[in-house]
Amino acid sequence: MRNIALKLMYAGTAYHGWQMQKNAVTIAETLEKALGYVVCHPVKCIGAGRTDAGVHAEVYIANFRTDSTIPCDRLPLAVNTRLPDDIVVTKATEVSDAFNAIGSCEKKEYTYRIYNSRLGNPFYVNRAWFYPKPLDETVMQRAAAHFVGTKDFAAVQSVGTHVRSTVRTVFYFDISRSGAMITCRVCADGFLYNMVRAMVGTCVYAAEGKFPPDAVGEILAAKNRTLAGPTVPPDGLYMTKLWYKEAVL
């Protein structure tokens, strides 16, 4: 039985996230159906992480097991003929039996995009969060700096989510502007449910003057979700980088 890692990208607007659900169309379900048709047996994919409804991926890794002998260099084209246009497999690699798309992932980068202009842009609908009030990206960056390090991120986790630990290591959280577009890039060894969107919302609140950027450290220490900023909309969020020891990218 071969273990195959797939590199793919997708626009998540039409889907209810990656993870299979009973009554909603997801990326995993759509990909598994296409793969099953190509390799002629049911397929179960393991994804690099759970992305929510409306969230996109410029880079995503999933792995599955198959007894099919289709060469890896032919697999992407074969699968893409069975996929909708908003999901594309770009590479297939045979990996070790121990490889697991989520368990073998060492760190991840998400990027959140804010279209910060008085007037909207139709080309960014469902691709960036349109925010018409002025935002100072330098204030946002000062707030973002307080998230970097190994800390307890309970204050930016969705209420009611149960995990063994809310401690994570954030390697960087960089915020920059190019014209009307504010780009927020955050890399960590793992993320809690809605963590990135709440981190961005907290930086936006700091830029709005709801609290000073230096208050973020105190907010994290309090571990109280109600003290941080809001969970911003999903359509500005992208998975953009993944790190593995095996050469799957």
Side-chain angles (χ1 to χ4, degrees):
M1 189 72 74
R2 302 161 73 200
N3 189 13
I4 305 294
L6 297 177
K7 180 182 177 182
L8 60 147
M9 59 177 67
Y10 57 82
T13 304
Y15 303 94
H16 287 258
W18 163 264
Q19 192 165 312
M20 182 77 72
Q21 298 181 33
K22 289 183 178 180
N23 301 309
V25 178
T26 66
I27 304 292
E29 175 191 10
T30 306
L31 179 62
E32 287 172 3
K33 285 181 178 178
L35 284 168
Y37 182 89
V38 170
V39 302
C40 301
H41 65 77
V43 165
K44 177 65 177 176
C45 287
I46 298 172
R50 177 178 178 174
T51 57
D52 297 331
V55 174
H56 316 292
E58 293 180 357
V59 176
Y60 194 89
I61 297 293
N63 72 289
F64 72 101
R65 298 180 188 275
T66 181
D67 55 12
S68 170
T69 59
I70 298 175
C72 283
D73 60 347
R74 297 184 183 179
L75 196 55
L77 183 59
V79 176
N80 287 337
T81 61
R82 309 299 305 181
L83 286 170
D85 293 342
D86 50 9
I87 304 174
V88 176
V89 175
T90 60
K91 184 180 179 182
T93 307
E94 189 162 350
V95 290
S96 67
D97 190 63
F99 180 87
N100 177 294
I102 188 167
S104 301
C105 188
E106 297 180 320
K107 54 184 179 178
K108 306 171 186 177
E109 180 195 80
Y110 281 94
T111 298
Y112 195 89
R113 298 183 172 111
I114 304 171
Y115 190 74
N116 185 215
S117 174
R118 188 172 63 86
L119 301 176
N121 186 323
F123 293 101
Y124 291 119
V125 173
N126 297 323
R127 297 293 185 271
W129 179 30
F130 170 52
Y131 196 86
K133 293 190 289 185
L135 290 173
D136 186 337
E137 68 277 8
T138 61
V139 175
M140 293 178 67
Q141 180 61 73
R142 284 170 54 198
H146 290 278
F147 288 104
V148 178
T150 301
K151 303 181 181 184
D152 191 320
F153 289 93
V156 285
Q157 175 188 245
S158 284
V159 175
T161 305
H162 299 287
V163 292
R164 290 182 181 178
S165 172
T166 50
V167 175
R168 298 290 186 273
T169 298
V170 171
F171 299 104
Y172 58 80
F173 188 6
D174 298 330
I175 298 178
S176 61
R177 177 189 286 271
S178 178
M181 187 66 72
I182 296 175
T183 300
C184 312
R185 295 186 184 276
V186 57
C187 174
D189 60 357
F191 292 93
L192 302 168
Y193 186 48
N194 283 339
M195 177 174 158
V196 175
R197 290 161 60 191
M199 289 168 68
V200 172
T202 301
C203 293
V204 168
Y205 259 27
E208 288 184 334
K210 301 274 177 72
F211 43 72
D214 291 342
V216 171
E218 299 171 7
I219 291 171
L220 288 175
K223 304 178 187 179
N224 185 339
R225 179 68 188 91
T226 63
L227 297 179
T231 301
V232 295
D235 48 4
L237 185 61
Y238 298 72
M239 181 176 280
T240 45
K241 286 186 182 180
L242 296 166
W243 284 261
Y244 294 92
K245 288 184 179 178
E246 290 198 49
V248 294
L249 296 167

